[in-house]
Amino acid sequence: MDEILLRFPIEGKTLSAEPIDGGHINRSFLVTTDAVRRYVLQRVNPFVFRDAAAIMENIRLIRDFLSDGPEQPPMVAFLDTTDGRAYAEDAEGAAWRLCPYVENSLSLLRPESPADFAESARAFGRFLHALRDFPPARLTETIPRFHDTPDRFRQLREAAEADPCGRKREVAALLDFAFAREERAARLQRARESGEVPLRVTHNDTKMSNVLLDASTRRAICVIDLDTVMPGLSAYDYGDAIRAGASTGAEDGDASELDLKYYEAFTRAFLEACPDLTERERELLPLGAWTMTLECGVRFLTDYLSGDHYFSVSRKKQNLDRAGAQFSLAADMERKREQMLAIVKTRI
Ligand code: GN1
Ligand code: MG
């Protein structure tokens, strides 16, 4: 790591680099120096992101676009290396990048109040809205078919058939749960293909922890983790945020339910920040929440069956628990469907 840090124009001498927990894919470190500034150093997971150059180029394009626009939602800026590159490569070919640490900020795994959650809705909503005129086709799909739910089901089916770790029997009930919903889960993808809702530039990983809050005011500072900013649907960003933030339990915890207070707080703030969603987009938001929840469970379950190579785990059955928690949340959304629809339809 020291050798990597030497390739960036850091102020002062490095004193320490402490791991920052939270993400399931990349590895992040808080770098402290003997100067005033602190930094975040991040290793991009090359197994998940095959083309680091494309990610950094996407981020640059968005940054340039936003800094010219009227709304200018703030973004974290990565530093070029001393030889002018967007990242440094290690001996294994993995990309490392560096940005200033935003002092006095918080990244919450889960919102601590509906007000926190509404702040994340404002941040993700503003981001979506500010990029409404950015042509999605200019971005590289850093992970192709990322929110293509039918394709996620295909991968689950393949993993269950191959069953390389002999875990299929143990997860039979979860597999039944998922496959019983496969048809409905494909509706969002159909809406994308038929063009009934517009393709936008979306963040695609809108969990609460991907918004920085000001630790004193608890207002959103900016959204972070722009690696999966790609063409997508508004329902992805809305839906993934609800999945992660409006549940009563942890992502890898016991059965979760949908907390309607959080759901409503997020929905109001999101709709306010994105005033130009079409009627059809608005109608599809509850389906988006359910689909993103189920899809995430399908991805965790696929990874459990495949031997936990994608999402990092700190204990053996963590991906299994994550899948179970997503499915219980999706089941609760089925019970609360009418209430969800009513909240989305309410005009302020
Ligand atoms: C991963 O790396 P992180 O923690 O931001 C994943 C998301 C999942 C999320 C579940 C590139 O996000 O899609 O929703 O875990 N990111 C990628 O917590 O697969
Ligand atoms: Mg991410």
Side-chain angles (χ1 to χ4, degrees):
M1 212 184 304
D2 288 342
E3 205 263 313
I4 293 284
L5 282 168
L6 285 174
R7 291 197 244 160
F8 288 95
I10 287 184
E11 284 172 49
K13 186 170 151 295
T14 304
L15 299 177
S16 64
E18 302 291 331
I20 303 174
D21 296 332
H24 300 338
I25 309 287
N26 297 331
R27 272 164 44 206
S28 307
F29 304 87
L30 176 60
V31 177
T32 305
T33 68
D34 61 2
V36 181
R37 234 183 225 306
R38 296 195 283 173
Y39 299 88
V40 175
L41 177 68
Q42 198 171 46
R43 178 184 187 268
V44 179
N45 181 333
F47 171 73
V48 170
F49 295 106
R50 304 295 164 111
D51 188 352
I55 293 184
M56 299 310 283
E57 179 60 9
N58 277 356
I59 295 175
R60 191 189 64 77
L61 286 168
I62 286 166
R63 197 185 160 70
D64 288 354
F65 180 87
L66 290 179
S67 57
D68 283 346
E71 285 116 356
Q72 301 190 10
M75 272 176 72
V76 169
F78 289 103
L79 270 66
D80 280 348
T81 60
T82 44
D83 57 357
R85 302 190 49 207
Y87 57 89
E89 245 166 20
D90 64 20
E92 289 153 16
W96 293 73
R97 61 192 175 190
L98 187 87
C99 64
Y101 175 72
V102 180
E103 296 295 341
N104 197 38
S105 66
L106 289 174
S107 157
L108 303 175
L109 267 186
R110 298 176 53 212
E112 287 165 8
S113 67
D116 285 347
F117 199 31
E119 274 305 305
S120 82
R122 278 181 202 106
F124 287 123
R126 275 188 216 125
F127 185 77
L128 186 71
H129 189 66
L131 287 167
R132 67 194 175 282
D133 293 326
F134 186 102
R138 281 180 63 200
L139 297 177
T140 303
E141 281 205 65
T142 54
I143 304 181
R145 297 180 176 270
F146 192 59
H147 283 313
D148 177 340
T149 316
D151 193 62
R152 296 295 186 179
F153 270 85
R154 181 190 61 72
Q155 293 180 41
L156 176 62
R157 188 167 280 112
E158 271 180 27
E161 273 162 19
D163 194 21
C165 308
R167 293 174 166 178
K168 184 176 168 182
R169 272 187 47 190
E170 178 193 6
V171 306
L174 292 182
L175 286 170
D176 288 348
F177 180 93
F179 286 122
R181 288 159 175 77
E182 189 170 5
E183 214 177 286
R184 180 164 179 241
R187 284 195 200 158
L188 210 53
Q189 180 64 21
R190 301 281 167 267
R192 176 173 173 162
E193 286 161 6
S194 70
E196 77 191 73
V197 281
L199 198 62
R200 296 180 180 267
V201 172
T202 49
H203 181 283
N204 296 307
D205 188 5
T206 49
K207 50 189 187 187
M208 182 77 215
S209 56
N210 280 338
V211 172
L212 294 184
L213 298 184
D214 183 304
S216 320
T217 64
R218 292 190 90 98
R219 302 300 297 261
I221 301 172
C222 61
V223 309
I224 55 171
D225 188 0
L226 304 179
D227 299 336
T228 49
V229 174
M230 286 184 278
L233 304 184
S234 52
Y236 299 162
D237 280 3
Y238 172 85
D240 193 53
I242 296 295
R243 170 195 76 76
S247 67
T248 55
E251 191 181 59
D252 62 350
D254 297 331
S256 272
E257 289 176 10
L258 178 72
D259 188 322
L260 284 170
K261 274 201 312 298
Y262 281 75
Y263 184 81
E264 183 166 8
F266 187 93
T267 303
R268 279 175 183 251
F270 188 80
L271 290 175
E272 212 178 322
C274 299
D276 73 332
L277 295 192
T278 66
E279 274 308 302
R280 189 69 188 131
E281 279 184 293
R282 212 174 151 124
E283 273 167 27
L284 283 179
L285 295 178
L287 179 72
W290 177 83
T291 309
M292 289 300 104
T293 305
L294 187 67
E295 178 192 278
C296 195
V298 163
R299 295 174 61 200
F300 288 141
L301 188 57
T302 304
D303 200 32
Y304 183 70
L305 285 165
S306 313
D308 305 313
H309 298 303
Y310 188 96
F311 297 104
S312 68
V313 286
S314 55
R315 53 189 174 80
K316 203 173 152 222
K317 299 207 175 186
Q318 195 169 15
N319 273 322
L320 178 62
D321 292 345
R322 286 171 178 155
Q326 306 312 298
F327 287 173
S328 67
L329 178 59
D332 194 49
M333 289 180 183
E334 291 167 15
R335 291 187 284 272
K336 293 182 175 146
R337 188 164 166 262
E338 290 305 320
Q339 285 128 295
M340 292 166 76
L341 282 167
I343 289 169
V344 168
K345 277 190 198 141
T346 307
R347 303 271 163 187
I348 316 150

